[in-house]
Amino acid sequence: SGGHQEIGSLMRRSRTKGRLLKVLEVGVGSGLTLAHVPAGVDFTGIDVNEKMLAVARKKTEELRSRRITLETMNAERLSYPANSFD
């Protein structure tokens, strides 16, 4: 969809040469954004819905060249240290 393409475009424009852009998507769901994750981005998607994450994980099989991590997690209780993402 247009919104997911726009997010991909924003990630492309935000990259810094020689450094991976670290992105967190809260509520990644079925992974509609994943196809738009560009090279040079270290992308992490979280969601509380394991069934939706299973759908997203299937999509990552076709995107093995991308740095994509998917985790079951509640955004209200992130297990990442502060300032882990751009």
Side-chain angles (χ1 to χ4, degrees):
S1 78
H4 296 101
Q5 288 175 338
E6 195 164 317
I7 291 169
S9 178
L10 176 63
M11 285 188 278
R12 273 189 294 287
R13 291 191 312 267
S14 299
R15 290 177 299 185
T16 302
K17 189 173 182 172
R19 182 180 165 279
L20 285 174
L21 178 69
K22 294 186 62 84
V23 174
L24 173 66
E25 181 176 4
V26 174
V28 70
S30 65
L32 295 175
T33 304
L34 300 179
H36 305 287
V37 174
V41 172
D42 185 356
F43 182 92
T44 300
I46 65 168
D47 206 298
V48 294
N49 187 322
E50 189 58 48
K51 288 182 182 180
M52 295 297 273
L53 279 172
V55 174
R57 284 188 179 102
K58 279 199 172 283
K59 291 177 182 175
T60 64
E61 291 173 9
E62 300 170 10
L63 302 167
R64 291 181 200 259
S65 65
R66 300 289 187 249
R67 295 178 63 110
I68 296 173
T69 303
L70 301 173
E71 296 193 52
T72 304
M73 191 179 305
N74 185 324
E76 294 177 351
R77 292 184 292 283
L78 292 177
S79 64
Y80 305 110
N83 302 312
S84 294
F85 300 93
D86 295 306

